[in-house]
Amino acid sequence: MAEATTFKNETQILEPFRGIKKVTIEEYFTSGHRTCQGCESALVMKLMVKASGPRTIVLGSTGCMYVANTTYYTTPWVVPWMHTQLGSSGSAALGTAAGLKALMRKGKMKSEPINVIAFCGDGGGADMGLNGISATLTHKDYNCLILLYDNESYANTDIQLSGMTPYGANTTFSPPGKVIRNVHKRWKKNMAGMMAAGHPECRYVATVCASYAVEMMNKVRRALTIGGPTFIHSLDPCPKGWDYDPMLSHELGELAIETGIFPLYEMEDGELRYYGKTKAIVDGRARKPVREYLLKQGRFAHFTEEDLAYFQAKVDEMWDKWEVPAVVPFKRVDASKAALNVK
Ligand SMILES: Cc1ncc(C[n+]2csc(CCOP(=O)(O)OP(=O)(O)O)c2C)c(N)n1
Ligand code: SF4
Ligand SMILES: [Mg+2]
């Protein structure tokens, strides 16, 4: 078949929402899901497709946002949605974007910009599917967004620890005991920083939190309009896995930012912009103590003062010693020593 002369690899025009009153009223993730009360990941799904609008295809890897959203014969998705295997969000995004492009180029479907979003959990994305996401972010000719919703555990299968579970957290794989209090002793992966630093063809990487809904939707809009593959990391409080009253979800999201544990930033064409309360911290506002965030969650109920001090010291190090505060983890060294290569 002859190639369509009208085909252009365009993205949609999605202007940022200028305030909450300007947000569109239509919903594309509605009732019909069975996530827990207070589930922030469900809110992320709702805001994500609200931002992208009706001409969107969503792909989702196995996890809470698959299982709880597609219970037998019911679904909250109004846009086309497809499940993909646990470690496959990257390849699903790339394959769908490539498929659409080929069909449009060959004139087999109408040439129009369609948003492709693949979401993954922290287990599916930051652990099992890291390779696929990384590969996708190198293919600059395909327009797609990978959104990692990070509830800091393999939640759907009953809260096993992932590479994104915070230090010391109580999970079904790391229950605190009398002999070993903190079974989980690894520090969480720096997923957005890793994606931003390691993928020169990826034009946009951002971190978001649904406690700041309009900002979050605007980052999704930017990611979908800039062109090429993009990546967003969302931190999602999870009442079941983090063990807290569901009414605290929003507050915990805010505290994650205000304590400096989860910095909000976007990296566009290699330029870094902190935003929201993270920018205020960069500009001099004091960070709240991490204990205000940690002690509201049952998964840290076993923490002693020593554990809290260790956690605080690690967060302080991220802000005070990293090459780019809270983003790039290389330590700053004295320039004269670095030139001589001495320690
Ligand atoms: C290859 C493979 N291994 C294991 C599973 C079982 N499994 C289904 S969902 C899930 C947890 C996924 O965790 P995450 O990606 O963080 O999503 P969440 O459940 O937290 O939303 C696991 C282990 C699977 N579906 N496929
Ligand atoms: S376990 Fe957590 S992520 Fe899963 S549905 Fe419940 S609140 Fe949401
Ligand atoms: Mg998870």
Side-chain angles (χ1 to χ4, degrees):
M1 181 180 281
E3 306 251 310
T5 50
T6 51
F7 172 72
K8 295 189 196 124
N9 194 28
E10 285 175 334
T11 59
Q12 285 185 23
I13 298 166
L14 297 166
E15 297 290 344
F17 297 119
R18 307 267 176 220
I20 192 75
K21 290 185 182 159
K22 305 283 181 195
V23 173
T24 45
I25 201 157
E26 292 82 10
E27 301 288 356
Y28 305 104
F29 177 93
T30 61
S31 54
H33 62 82
R34 295 192 183 178
T35 64
C36 309
Q37 187 183 21
C39 173
E40 283 287 282
S41 297
L43 180 61
V44 166
M45 297 295 119
K46 174 184 156 97
L47 298 175
M48 176 185 86
V49 277
K50 201 180 210 352
S52 66
R55 302 304 286 158
T56 300
I57 296 173
V58 180
L59 309 131
S61 73
T62 326
C64 283
M65 291 305 106
Y66 159 48
V67 178
N69 286 327
T70 50
T71 314
Y72 189 60
Y73 276 167
T74 68
T75 183
W77 293 107
V78 177
V79 294
W81 181 88
M82 194 188 86
H83 169 236
T84 186
Q85 195 267 343
L86 186 48
S88 301
S89 59
S91 32
L94 187 64
T96 305
L100 287 172
K101 189 173 174 179
L103 289 171
M104 289 181 199
R105 187 166 36 76
K106 290 177 179 173
K108 290 190 174 178
M109 67 183 279
K110 185 179 149 206
S111 179
E112 63 169 319
I114 295 177
N115 300 313
V116 175
I117 306 178
F119 67 74
C120 51
D122 48 302
D127 287 348
M128 297 169 77
L130 190 59
N131 50 356
I133 295 174
S134 175
T136 299
L137 296 183
T138 67
H139 285 270
K140 66 177 176 182
D141 297 331
Y142 299 104
N143 305 327
C144 54
L145 162 64
I146 298 165
L147 186 145
L148 186 145
Y149 71 93
D150 177 13
N151 51 24
E152 299 191 318
S153 77
Y154 290 77
N156 174 61
T157 38
D158 207 17
I159 323 295
Q160 291 84 30
L161 70 82
S162 79
M164 303 293 269
T165 302
Y167 172 88
N170 181 352
T171 68
T172 47
F173 276 5
S174 56
K178 286 192 182 138
V179 179
I180 303 175
R181 189 174 63 249
N182 291 316
V183 176
H184 175 46
K185 292 195 172 67
R186 288 171 277 150
W187 198 252
K188 175 172 175 157
K189 283 185 192 180
N190 176 9
M191 191 62 188
M194 188 184 353
M195 294 302 107
H199 299 87
E201 304 285 20
C202 170
R203 297 186 59 196
Y204 189 82
V205 170
T207 59
V208 299
C209 177
S211 295
Y212 305 97
V214 177
E215 280 172 330
M216 187 227 144
M217 286 189 281
N218 285 341
K219 304 307 170 207
V220 169
R221 289 195 145 201
R222 188 67 190 136
L224 289 169
T225 50
I226 195 167
T230 53
F231 180 80
I232 290 181
H233 175 192
S234 170
L235 182 72
D236 304 357
C238 160
K240 183 182 168 198
W242 301 14
D243 189 13
Y244 63 83
D245 188 314
M247 75 174 185
L248 292 179
S249 290
H250 183 92
E251 186 180 338
L252 280 170
E254 287 186 330
L255 281 170
I257 317 304
E258 290 169 337
T259 53
I261 290 172
F262 188 74
L264 294 176
Y265 62 87
E266 57 185 348
M267 195 85 80
E268 183 171 325
D269 289 330
E271 284 186 17
L272 172 72
R273 268 190 300 274
Y274 297 100
Y275 69 92
K277 290 193 176 161
T278 300
K279 182 164 184 316
I281 293 172
V282 174
D283 292 342
R285 183 192 283 190
R287 281 179 273 121
K288 287 189 175 172
V290 296
R291 64 190 304 132
E292 288 188 27
Y293 171 73
L294 299 177
L295 295 183
K296 285 198 162 59
Q297 304 171 50
R299 62 180 174 160
F300 300 113
H302 57 287
F303 264 25
T304 60
E305 284 301 322
E306 189 190 338
D307 301 326
L308 292 166
Y310 176 77
F311 208 108
Q312 185 67 61
K314 291 288 282 183
V315 175
D316 290 348
E317 180 184 308
M318 205 168 100
W319 280 94
D320 301 336
K321 299 208 173 121
W322 284 18
E323 183 69 43
V324 180
V327 180
V328 178
F330 304 127
K331 302 270 170 51
R332 286 190 291 270
V333 288
D334 181 290
S336 57
K337 283 185 184 166
L340 294 169
N341 199 20
V342 291
K343 294 206 169 121

